[in-house]
Amino acid sequence: MTIDNITVEVPAGTSILQAARTIGGDVTPPAMCFYSKLEGSGGKCRTCLVEVAAGSTADPRPMPKLVASCRTAVMDGMIVKNITSEKVVDARNGVVEFLLINHPLDCPICDQAGECHLQDLGYDHGGAGTRYQFARRTFEREDIGPYIQLHMNRCILCYRCTYIADQITNQRVHGVVDRGDHAAISTYISKAIENDFSGNMIDVCPVGALTDKTFRFKNRVWFTKPMYAHRDCENPKCCGKVTLWMRGDEVYRVTARKDEWGEVQSFDGKPGWICNTCRFDKKHASDWKVEGVAEISRHSVISQNKYKELVMPEETIQKVLDGRNPKVLLDIHSVSQVNDPDRRLSEIEGPAHSDDFNNPSSAK
Ligand code: SF4
Ligand code: FES
C-alpha cells in the first residue's frame, strides 16, 4: 500500500494507522483514542481521518468519505493520502475545533501540558479563536481518591481509561454515562481507582482529565529529567520498568515508559503496565536501579535540555576578559533568600504553594 507517496508492505489485516506508523514521521496520522495495547480502542475521536484515493488493486475506486485510519484495514494496492490531502487537513482542523469546543484552554495550569496530545494537535491544527458562543460544559467536582485527579471538563471521551479498567483491572466499575453534551465518565470511577493498576489510566489519558495527584502542581514536566529505572516488583503483573521524572536527586513522578507514539512500551511482547506501588509509593531514587536518561521524542517540549551526553560549549569568558579569571560574584541562595535549599518539594503534602518556596526567614 502507499501512504503519501511512500510505499510499504505490511501483513494483511493491519490498519492504515499501524501501517503509517511503520513509516513514522509526519505521514502518521495523530491518534487520540486508538491505543494499540488496548483491545477495541479507536473509532471515537476522528483525529486519524485519512483519504483513501484507491481502495485496492482489484477495486481502485476511491472511498467516498474520509475514513478513520485506526479502524480501517489496508488492502493490497491501497493508496492513502494523509498530509498530502487538503480534505484531510481541513477535516482535522474541524475535528480539533470540535474537540476544543468544550475543552478548557488551561494549559498554563494543567499538569498534562508538555505531554498532551490535544495541546500538540491544537498547535498543528487549532484556530486562533473560537466560533462557539455557548458556555463550556462544567461538572460537579468529584474526588476519586488520593492518587488520581479527575478534571471531567478536560475529558474528550476517548474511552481509553474504561478499556484499561476492563482489560487490566479485575472489574470495570466505571464508564461513559449519558450521551451527547451530557456524556461523562461515570461516578463509579472511584471504585476502579481502588484497583492496584488504576494508575495506568493516567498514562493512557491523552489529555489532562486524569492526572497524578502526588505530582500535581509540584513541577512542570519539562523542568524534570526523565530517567529509565527498574526494580524487582513483587506484583507479577507489573513490569517494574519505569521512567522516573527527577529533578536533582528527587523523584517527582513515576510513570510507565512511553514509546514514540505516547503509548506504554512493550517488554517481551507484553505492554509494560506498572502497579500503583511502583507508581505512587516508590518516590526515592534509592528504591530504583537507575539505568540512564530516557529517550524523549524531539518533537516534545519535554525534550528540552535532555541530552544523553553532556557537551559543554567552549568557555570563552577568559578570552573576553583578556586572560583574567572571573570571580564568583554571589551565591544565589544566600543573596536572594528566595529558595530554601533544604526544602524537598517532591515530598511535601499536596500541591506546592508560595510558602513552600519562600525561605521562612525572608517571609514577612
Ligand atoms: S478521562 Fe481521559 S482516558 Fe478517560 S475517556 Fe476522558 S480523555 Fe479518555
Ligand atoms: S484514533 Fe482513530 S478515531 Fe480516534
Side-chain angles (χ1 to χ4, degrees):
M1 68 163 308
T2 303
I3 305 172
D4 286 340
N5 304 322
I6 303 172
T7 301
V8 274
E9 204 159 316
V10 289
T14 307
S15 67
I16 298 174
L17 180 69
Q18 291 290 59
R21 284 184 175 184
T22 63
I23 304 170
D26 287 342
V27 303
T28 310
M32 295 292 284
C33 67
F34 174 76
Y35 204 91
S36 64
K37 281 98 189 170
L38 294 174
E39 228 172 277
S41 65
K44 317 281 191 306
C45 71
R46 324 306 288 178
T47 49
C48 66
L49 289 176
V50 292
E51 182 181 342
V52 177
S56 66
T57 315
D59 182 0
R61 286 177 299 171
M63 289 195 183
K65 289 201 288 187
L66 302 184
V67 297
S69 61
C70 66
R71 281 294 186 96
T72 310
V74 300
M75 302 290 285
D76 196 13
M78 186 183 252
I79 298 175
V80 174
K81 289 178 167 180
N82 178 29
I83 50 173
T84 50
S85 164
E86 267 180 43
K87 272 196 239 167
V88 169
V89 174
D90 192 43
R92 205 163 283 151
N93 293 349
V95 170
V96 172
E97 184 176 13
F98 190 67
L99 287 175
L100 290 177
I101 276 181
N102 275 310
H103 191 93
L105 294 183
D106 55 0
C107 312
I109 51 121
C110 176
D111 277 315
Q112 187 86 356
E115 48 188 9
C116 174
H117 296 233
L118 189 53
Q119 190 182 29
D120 294 342
L121 268 182
Y123 277 114
D124 287 344
H125 298 278
T130 178
R131 292 186 283 161
Y132 196 63
Q133 293 180 353
F134 301 93
R136 291 178 178 202
R137 289 184 313 170
T138 51
F139 294 87
E140 288 287 320
R141 197 184 157 94
E142 190 182 345
D143 187 0
I144 58 168
Y147 292 136
I148 304 181
Q149 181 72 40
L150 171 67
H151 280 283
M152 195 53 226
N153 59 342
R154 293 179 187 157
C155 173
I156 60 152
L157 296 169
C158 72
Y159 285 69
R160 283 181 182 177
C161 60
T162 63
Y163 287 116
I164 283 277
D166 238 354
Q167 292 168 30
I168 70 164
T169 66
N170 299 338
Q171 199 188 5
R172 174 159 79 85
V173 280
H174 83 287
V176 177
V177 292
D178 293 338
R179 289 292 175 264
D181 207 28
H182 297 287
I185 289 292
S186 96
T187 47
Y188 299 127
I189 193 169
S190 45
K191 297 223 173 65
I193 299 306
E194 286 158 19
N195 189 282
D196 224 14
F197 279 77
S198 59
N200 292 290
M201 294 190 213
I202 301 170
D203 278 345
V204 301
C205 184
V207 291
L210 297 171
T211 52
D212 182 341
K213 261 192 189 168
T214 66
F215 175 63
R216 206 161 121 79
F217 300 143
K218 298 244 173 88
N219 227 304
R220 301 308 275 167
V221 72
W222 53 89
F223 292 142
T224 59
K225 185 155 190 159
M227 306 291 284
Y228 283 155
H230 66 270
R231 63 184 280 273
D232 293 327
C233 181
E234 309 80 52
N235 191 323
K237 275 159 66 188
C238 173
C239 81
K241 296 189 173 74
V242 300
T243 303
L244 303 181
W245 299 82
M246 302 181 70
R247 191 153 178 192
D249 58 357
E250 286 185 74
V251 176
Y252 277 81
R253 183 175 70 149
V254 181
T255 64
R257 292 190 198 173
K258 303 282 184 69
D259 64 16
E260 58 188 309
W261 312 114
E263 296 185 3
V264 297
Q265 288 181 15
S266 292
F267 300 102
D268 302 327
K270 290 198 202 120
W273 309 118
I274 59 169
C275 67
N276 285 3
T277 308
C278 285
R279 184 185 300 269
F280 299 119
D281 299 336
K282 302 292 173 189
K283 292 285 187 79
H284 294 282
S286 56
D287 296 326
W288 297 95
K289 292 187 191 80
V290 178
E291 295 163 24
V293 182
E295 307 265 349
I296 297 289
S297 151
R298 285 277 162 219
H299 88 278
S300 164
V301 66
I302 312 170
S303 71
Q304 297 305 305
N305 305 325
K306 313 296 186 307
Y307 302 107
K308 280 202 160 170
E309 288 160 26
L310 183 64
V311 181
M312 294 294 284
E314 193 202 344
E315 188 56 87
T316 54
I317 189 78
Q318 276 195 337
K319 285 185 202 153
V320 175
L321 289 178
D322 213 14
R324 285 170 296 149
N325 261 330
K327 288 187 181 149
V328 176
L329 296 180
L330 55 86
D331 171 346
I332 190 72
H333 284 304
S334 60
V335 175
S336 75
Q337 293 198 327
V338 171
N339 288 329
D340 179 351
D342 297 324
R343 178 80 59 148
R344 298 177 82 83
L345 287 181
S346 64
E347 288 175 14
I348 58 169
E349 279 290 320
H353 294 103
S354 54
D355 291 351
D356 299 307
F357 291 89
N358 290 338
N359 186 332
S361 63
S362 67
K364 294 260 173 6

